[in-house]
Amino acid sequence: MKRCGGLIALALCLSCMATNVNASAYYTNSNGVQMTESQYNKMLQMFSERKVSVLTQSEFDSLKDNEIVDSGTKYSKETFIRGEYVSTEEISKEEYDAAEDVTACTPFVSDYVETGYKKLSASVAKAGSSNKYSLVGALTWKKVPAYRSYDVFAYRLNHFNYSGFSGGQMYFKGKDAYNIAYYTTSEGYKALSNGAGVSMNLKDDSDITGYELTIVTNLTFNTSSYASAAAYVSYQHAQANLSRADSMNYTLSVGGLGNVIQFNNSRVESYYDAMDGVRLEVPIS
């Protein structure tokens, strides 16, 4: 009887432990990645809800314990008339959230108007008690853009060194997600002394319903003589069919598009939408 009672007690203890583990999982995504409420909210500061729903375990593990030091978001609206690009303008979060992706058609072809929306988010997070940081940039297309060519996703740094790089072009077909990965060895990757960027040729299948694009790198301070260090993140969308070579012909400068990407050819630069970038600042202790 004592042995049986001991087994029952052990079973109850294991059951209690399992219940506590499950109770701590506030959110579980489609890949089985479990997150507490604070971890889930942290991921939403870095990525869109759709991206968080498909994060891999390794992506989550690399960021889950980091403390966000600074973050920012820009929202953009693009307008086309008769299939021709007209303008890109910054909008508020409220307008972005409320907007539906509209294709307004009338009996007259001349009145054909198409509007699309995208969101650029960036964050710097500290890894533990060290002076090591991670920089994450994320671009969400609310719908498939009218042009799909070589877009450029880049960051420019002041008083930071960077190391390593990973990026992704996640595209969706219905509820299914597919990913194209980018590394320092990828053809579109470009490293410069003050930052880096990647040219992503947007996947062009007819049944794609959206994109989530990301870039990630590691940062450390390269000086202690200043009060803070800064990171600038920019995503520039091509409004014409360009080559990879065209898209990679740039430097990183405060005078560039989004305060980051300075194309060396003015003709090529005119084909990019000049969306505003995000500036992040970290105190140097």
Side-chain angles (χ1 to χ4, degrees), residues 7-281:
L7 291 174
I8 291 173
L10 176 61
L12 289 173
C13 180
L14 292 174
S15 174
C16 181
M17 289 174 63
T19 300
N20 287 338
V21 169
N22 291 333
S24 67
Y26 171 80
Y27 174 80
T28 303
N29 75 4
S30 62
N31 288 322
V33 179
Q34 295 187 338
M35 308 176 197
T36 65
E37 184 173 5
S38 63
Q39 290 170 337
Y40 176 67
N41 290 331
K42 184 190 301 181
M43 293 302 108
L44 288 179
Q45 281 187 264
M46 300 182 184
F47 306 107
S48 71
E49 184 176 353
R50 182 168 61 177
K51 172 66 177 177
V52 174
S53 74
V54 293
L55 279 175
T56 65
Q57 189 69 55
S58 61
E59 286 176 320
F60 173 68
D61 288 343
S62 68
L63 298 168
K64 67 178 182 179
D65 297 322
N66 291 2
E67 176 190 356
I68 294 177
V69 179
D70 196 11
S71 63
T73 303
K74 295 286 186 178
Y75 302 89
S76 177
K77 171 184 175 181
E78 295 191 344
T79 302
F80 296 80
I81 297 178
R82 300 184 299 278
E84 294 293 328
Y85 172 72
V86 175
S87 64
T88 296
E89 59 184 296
E90 185 175 350
I91 60 174
S92 66
K93 178 182 185 300
E94 291 72 23
E95 185 176 351
Y96 176 87
D97 290 340
E100 295 183 2
D101 297 302
V102 177
T103 300
C105 297
T106 73
F108 302 99
V109 176
S110 62
D111 292 332
Y112 178 85
V113 177
E114 187 176 12
T115 305
Y117 301 85
K118 63 183 184 294
K119 177 178 74 171
L120 172 64
S121 298
S123 60
V124 173
K126 188 174 184 179
S129 60
S130 68
N131 281 325
K132 296 180 179 179
Y133 297 81
S134 59
L135 171 64
V136 177
L139 191 288
T140 299
W141 279 102
K142 224 176 181 185
K143 66 177 291 186
V144 175
Y147 288 93
R148 286 176 277 185
S149 183
Y150 283 95
D151 290 0
V152 183
F153 210 164
Y155 54 88
R156 180 176 64 85
L157 306 172
N158 281 345
H159 312 314
F160 273 125
N161 287 327
Y162 69 95
S163 63
F165 175 86
S166 63
Q169 177 190 161
M170 183 164 285
Y171 58 94
F172 295 82
K173 295 183 177 184
K175 295 182 179 180
D176 296 324
Y178 305 85
N179 189 59
I180 301 171
Y182 301 88
Y183 305 101
T184 57
T185 55
S186 297
E187 289 184 306
Y189 177 74
K190 182 171 184 174
L192 295 165
S193 61
N194 60 339
V198 61
S199 296
M200 299 183 179
N201 188 8
L202 294 185
K203 189 73 173 175
D204 200 15
D205 292 348
S206 60
D207 54 347
I208 292 175
T209 56
Y211 300 90
E212 299 284 342
L213 312 177
T214 57
I215 54 173
V216 181
T217 193
N218 300 313
L219 304 177
T220 55
F221 299 129
N222 62 17
T223 181
S224 58
S225 301
Y226 294 85
S228 64
Y232 302 80
V233 179
S234 174
Y235 174 85
Q236 296 302 321
H237 172 58
Q239 304 289 356
N241 292 322
L242 300 172
S243 68
R244 179 185 287 119
D246 286 333
S247 70
M248 295 183 69
N249 186 16
Y250 62 84
T251 59
L252 302 175
S253 168
V254 65
L257 300 180
N259 297 129
V260 178
I261 304 166
Q262 181 76 63
F263 287 100
N264 297 318
N265 185 309
S266 59
R267 177 188 63 84
V268 170
E269 181 172 297
S270 70
Y271 291 132
Y272 283 89
D273 64 358
M275 181 182 182
D276 287 343
V278 174
R279 181 185 186 276
L280 306 170
E281 187 170 354

